[in-house]
Amino acid sequence: GEHEAQIAQASRINALGEMASGMAHELTQPLTAILSQSQAGIRLLARDGAPTDAIKDVLNVNIAQSKRAAAILSRLREWSKGGRATPSKQHLNRCLENVTLLLDQEIRRLQIDRTIKLDAADPVIMGDSVEIEQVIFNLLRNAMDVLKSEEISDRRISVGTRVNGSNAIVEITDNGQGIAPDMLERLYEPFQS
């Protein structure tokens, strides 16, 4: 009903705030690379007989980093659209890759060893890509928060997709301490962590 729609919208706005913070971190890297490559290109041009291949390399790096920044911003636009999308076929591998694109720099900053294992069958499900990615984002973010809060020197997160019969599965595991037994029954209550 209307109440559920309001809760869904509030949840989306809350998730957007978290994602915007993650994206600010993620955009820093390609923009810094573009700036430093452009400065290197100008230095190359200032020399007599600047090698054409070196200039091409600089421009190709800028193109790749610009595409990466554009992809990050594209995810933000997708995720910020209001309303419910008509469910359509979604490739889970792509959904997982989109989310890791947003969080990888933060994962590196936290010195977490992240592995990704995508099922070669490329599982496809019916749904809204934004909602699927938000769930994956929240699970991955939770794993990161757990590892950040615990004194673990060897932090690891594994993300992946797999097919089990007619089920498509997204798995996110970390090497944190796990869920305390007294929390198990309250796990699905709002605001429990």
Side-chain angles (χ1 to χ4, degrees):
E2 189 178 331
H3 182 64
E4 286 160 354
Q6 287 173 335
I7 290 172
Q9 182 64 15
S11 172
R12 185 175 287 220
I13 289 167
N14 184 44
L16 263 175
E18 284 191 33
M19 287 181 285
S21 172
M23 283 185 211
H25 282 295
E26 287 300 315
L27 284 170
T28 302
Q29 187 180 13
L31 293 175
T32 302
I34 291 166
L35 174 64
S36 65
Q37 285 294 307
S38 298
Q39 289 168 334
I42 287 171
R43 283 193 299 275
L44 281 170
L45 287 172
R47 295 184 197 157
D48 286 336
T52 309
D53 285 350
I55 300 291
K56 281 183 186 170
D57 289 346
V58 166
L59 293 175
N60 281 327
V61 169
N62 280 355
I63 289 166
Q65 293 295 338
S66 298
K67 285 180 177 175
R68 181 163 185 255
I72 291 167
L73 290 171
S74 172
R75 296 321 302 153
L76 180 59
R77 277 193 298 277
E78 283 287 310
W79 288 18
S80 63
K81 288 178 184 169
R84 296 183 68 81
T86 306
S88 58
K89 286 184 179 178
Q90 303 299 330
H91 294 262
L92 277 185
N93 287 357
R94 190 178 313 134
C95 290
L96 197 62
E97 286 175 323
N98 285 339
V99 173
T100 55
L101 171 75
L102 299 178
L103 291 172
D104 264 354
Q105 187 173 337
E106 180 74 359
I107 287 170
R108 283 191 300 276
R109 191 184 68 75
L110 294 171
Q111 298 179 318
I112 296 171
D113 179 28
R114 196 260 307 144
T115 57
I116 185 164
K117 298 172 191 160
L118 301 178
D119 194 302
D122 192 12
V124 175
I125 63 170
M126 291 296 289
D128 172 8
S129 66
V130 171
E131 290 179 356
I132 293 165
E133 289 178 17
Q134 281 183 343
V135 170
I136 295 169
F137 180 94
N138 289 339
L139 291 171
L140 188 50
R141 188 86 232 186
N142 286 349
M144 292 164 62
D145 289 345
V146 163
L147 293 179
K148 184 168 58 174
S149 68
E150 294 181 7
E151 292 301 318
I152 301 172
S153 58
D154 176 29
R155 298 172 172 164
R156 293 188 310 274
I157 290 178
S158 174
V159 297
T161 58
R162 65 185 175 90
V163 176
N164 183 2
S166 61
N167 295 318
I169 299 167
V170 171
E171 289 181 321
I172 298 172
T173 59
D174 63 69
N175 65 328
Q177 293 178 2
I179 300 164
D182 62 326
M183 277 298 300
L184 280 173
E185 59 208 39
R186 299 197 332 237
L187 197 57
Y188 296 101
E189 293 174 19
F191 310 111
Q192 296 301 318
S193 192

